[in-house]
Amino acid sequence: MGYSLCVLGCGTMGVAVFAGVLDSLDSSSKISNGFPKWESHTPGTLTPAGPPDATVPSRFLACVSREETARKLENIFGSLGQLGSSVEVFASKNIEAVQNSDVVLLCCKPQIVHTILSEPGMKEALEGKLLISILAGVTMSQITNWVLPSTRVVRAMPNTPCKIREGMTVVSNLPPSVHSETDRAVILKIFSSIGRCRFLEEKHFDACTALSGSGPAFACIFMEAMADGGVMMGLPRAEALELAAQTLQGAARMVLQGNTHPAQLKDSVTTPGGCTIAGLLALEDGRVRSTIARGIQIATERASELGQPAKK
């Protein structure tokens, strides 16, 4: 018998995590959302050996605040197959759902996390359980102040590509405890099933929020600009976008699977006096490198402000 997994505040990211986990548990599904997954496992990570049922969720609970949202979620999960139909959706019943859970994924908005965790009975419902927060800017020390000492608090930062099991999740290092090995296995089982998973110190989380959390939006800007350039030079819009998207995907796979530095890939296609170097110089004229890097810097600084008390 596996454990019960509850998503507290099941919005866009909560749905994405559930969809990925459910899809990964469907042994009959070899593809995700119609597209083959690049890699079956997260390279460089290893799920610790142990009882197979101890790290696989067998019950799924989703919490939202309104009945209307609950009905929408039921339709969404119902479209995910038999496992999706088994997801239990709770509207304004956070305490009841958490009481029936073993692992709780905290996915609400950072601004309301204190209100949710301060709800009468929530501390007791979370007692002795693993609480995984994916809230940007909300530190573990803040959350531990709002729960009982027996609640094991961990931070994780996934991104939206986990919907197609191509996500990138960073998880805070686990403090030594009798539960740490099992908790690590559970966390890896959840997040490695929807992409790549890495453990890092919490001090890096604001930068991770900007780089991998906001990163898909930045990548889409670059992708759209590439497609616009193709359209400018006469390509049909649909084909230009396909070329841009597949090109970025291919370049990313070469970096990840070949363990190759991007500069090496760039140099390998840059011939003397060719079109690539001409385009690269135009990008350098536009300060594209520093602009992108500054974007990560500004997003990191903003991430550090999320979930913190408003300045007067």
Side-chain angles (χ1 to χ4, degrees), residues 5-153:
L5 174 63
C6 171
V7 173
L8 194 55
C10 195
T12 302
M13 184 54 68
V15 171
V17 171
F18 257 144
V21 171
L22 290 170
D23 187 50
S24 73
L25 293 177
D26 185 357
S27 58
S28 65
S29 176
K30 301 300 182 183
I31 58 176
S32 178
N33 289 349
F35 295 93
K37 181 171 167 53
W38 291 355
E39 298 159 309
S40 299
H41 304 286
T42 302
T45 63
L46 177 65
T47 302
D53 60 340
T55 60
V56 177
S58 59
R59 185 182 180 187
F60 307 91
L61 305 92
C63 298
V64 293
S65 59
R66 299 185 299 170
E67 288 287 349
E68 179 184 0
T69 307
R71 288 193 292 271
K72 290 181 179 178
L73 278 186
E74 288 172 349
N75 291 331
I76 292 173
F77 291 135
S79 67
L80 299 179
Q82 184 176 356
L83 280 176
S85 300
S86 69
V87 177
E88 304 167 47
V89 182
F90 293 75
S92 300
K93 295 180 180 179
N94 292 342
I95 302 297
E96 180 182 345
V98 173
Q99 287 174 337
N100 286 279
S101 304
D102 303 303
V103 177
V104 178
L105 195 61
L106 188 58
C107 299
C108 64
K109 295 179 180 179
Q111 296 83 353
I112 64 172
V113 59
H114 182 256
T115 301
I116 289 179
L117 294 182
S118 298
E119 186 177 350
M122 182 59 77
K123 282 187 177 182
E124 292 73 20
L126 286 168
E127 184 175 6
K129 297 177 180 179
L130 175 61
L131 176 62
I132 307 171
S133 167
I134 69 166
L135 308 186
V138 181
T139 65
M140 286 195 294
S141 62
Q142 285 178 285
I143 297 176
T144 53
N145 287 332
W146 299 330
V147 298
L148 296 174
S150 63
T151 302
R152 308 188 301 284
V153 177

